[in-house]
Amino acid sequence: DATVPYQQLSYDKMKEDLKFLLTKFKHPMVAWQDPNFGIRFKETMDAMRNLSTTEIIGLQDGTYKGIELLGYYEKEDTPLPIDYYLSDTTEEDNGGSVIAASNVKLEHKFTNYVDTSYFGCQNSEDFTPQLQYLLNSYREVRLANHVHYINSTIFLPSDTTLKGNGDLSVIKATLNGDFSIEDTMIAVFNCNKSLLINFKIDQNGEERATRIPHSVFLASCDEVTVENISFVNNGSSIKNVTGGVLFLQAKDTENMLLKGRIGSVTNCKF
């Protein structure tokens, strides 16, 4: 396991070395060892989507074991490189775990958790569909150190963790996003044993023309934890003044304090 990032071998340097070898030996025998076991490297998602016909044939005939992706929009803009392999999945290209490359599909199976940078949050103007897909598909979703713009309400399922890296991980409302149906950016409805941990929620209230009543709305939940969340830019002007930033509604609304088991809210900033 190398302690430094992958660096592609320079073909020009290799040519120079071979020419030098010929100056020392008349008929040298050169052996090549590939420590990557036939893995093909691509620096960006766009490059992987545009594999050449030769590369695809190499994947199909076993010349290449798979493709190692070194970044999404640019090299090293994801936590670590990840490997993709030929797949016969029926799932459509989702921009992260399943990728259509010409006439084949490549798949990476995320286990334990998934980081949003592997689905392109870095330059996304609206990450709503990708974030909802991740929450529906994985038990733990980690917000990368970027702003994640959402255009409509995100729903947190049961037994799911959404966590970030403090104020570096941001969920922010777009200027024209419509949150009127559920009146919140993040909806936690009929949800059990889920967690919102360690990130910032930005209503973009100073810039939006319409207000967002809540940043997080919890209703009819059991054992939901809200911890280390910063609620910011909720709108200070009369025009854009918000409703409750964090709204809690227990299962029994008539005896909310007695029978409601929402969970805990700790160490949040309002």
Side-chain angles (χ1 to χ4, degrees), residues 4-239:
V4 296
Y6 162 76
Q7 299 178 17
Q8 185 169 328
L9 179 66
S10 168
Y11 292 117
D12 290 337
K13 184 68 172 73
M14 185 164 56
K15 288 179 181 179
E16 291 178 6
D17 290 343
L18 292 174
K19 288 179 179 179
F20 174 78
L21 188 62
L22 289 173
T23 65
K24 303 297 181 181
F25 302 95
K26 291 184 177 181
H27 303 288
M29 179 178 292
V30 180
W32 175 262
Q33 180 186 8
D34 183 2
N36 299 299
F37 304 103
I39 291 289
R40 188 73 170 161
F41 295 91
K42 292 295 177 181
E43 292 194 357
T44 66
M45 179 63 75
D46 184 63
M48 190 172 72
R49 289 184 188 277
N50 292 282
L51 295 177
S52 68
T53 301
T54 301
E55 289 172 320
I56 291 174
I57 293 173
L59 286 168
Q60 293 172 329
D61 67 16
T63 300
Y64 303 130
K65 182 179 177 182
I67 304 291
E68 183 162 300
L69 186 64
L70 306 181
Y72 200 93
Y73 295 105
E74 59 185 35
K75 183 180 176 181
E76 297 180 11
D77 68 352
T78 53
L80 292 169
I82 56 175
D83 295 337
Y84 287 80
Y85 302 97
L86 276 180
S87 174
D88 57 2
T89 179
T90 58
E91 187 174 352
E92 297 296 321
D93 186 326
N94 57 32
S97 60
V98 177
I99 301 299
S102 299
N103 61 336
V104 298
K105 286 183 180 177
L106 301 171
E107 184 174 11
H108 175 83
K109 295 185 182 296
F110 291 95
T111 58
N112 300 322
Y113 71 90
V114 60
D115 186 287
T116 54
S117 64
Y118 291 117
F119 280 74
C121 71
Q122 300 91 315
N123 293 334
S124 175
E125 296 181 357
D126 177 17
F127 198 64
T128 312
Q130 293 94 329
L131 184 54
Q132 190 63 65
Y133 169 83
L134 294 177
L135 290 171
N136 292 342
S137 303
Y138 299 96
R139 295 286 297 275
E140 181 175 324
V141 178
R142 296 185 183 179
L143 297 170
N145 296 346
H146 295 281
V147 176
H148 301 70
Y149 287 99
I150 62 172
N151 205 46
S152 58
T153 299
I154 293 295
F155 295 86
L156 184 69
S158 292
D159 298 305
T160 302
T161 297
L162 178 61
K163 67 184 297 184
N165 190 27
D167 287 350
L168 297 175
S169 306
V170 184
I171 294 180
K172 185 173 184 176
T174 60
L175 289 179
N176 300 314
D178 183 5
F179 302 89
S180 61
I181 296 177
E182 303 295 347
D183 287 338
T184 185
M185 292 175 64
I186 300 179
V188 189
F189 298 160
N190 299 304
C191 185
N192 302 318
K193 299 181 179 179
S194 290
L195 300 90
L196 297 173
I197 300 178
N198 205 29
F199 60 91
K200 181 188 291 185
I201 303 178
D202 187 341
Q203 285 194 13
N204 207 1
E206 298 297 330
E207 302 294 333
R208 287 176 53 85
T210 57
R211 74 184 186 97
I212 303 173
H214 312 100
S215 294
V216 177
F217 192 153
L218 288 86
S220 301
C221 296
D222 282 337
E223 301 180 44
V224 171
T225 297
V226 181
E227 181 178 331
N228 292 332
I229 303 296
S230 297
F231 298 88
V232 300
N233 290 336
N234 305 313
S236 59
S237 67
I238 298 297
K239 177 181 178 182

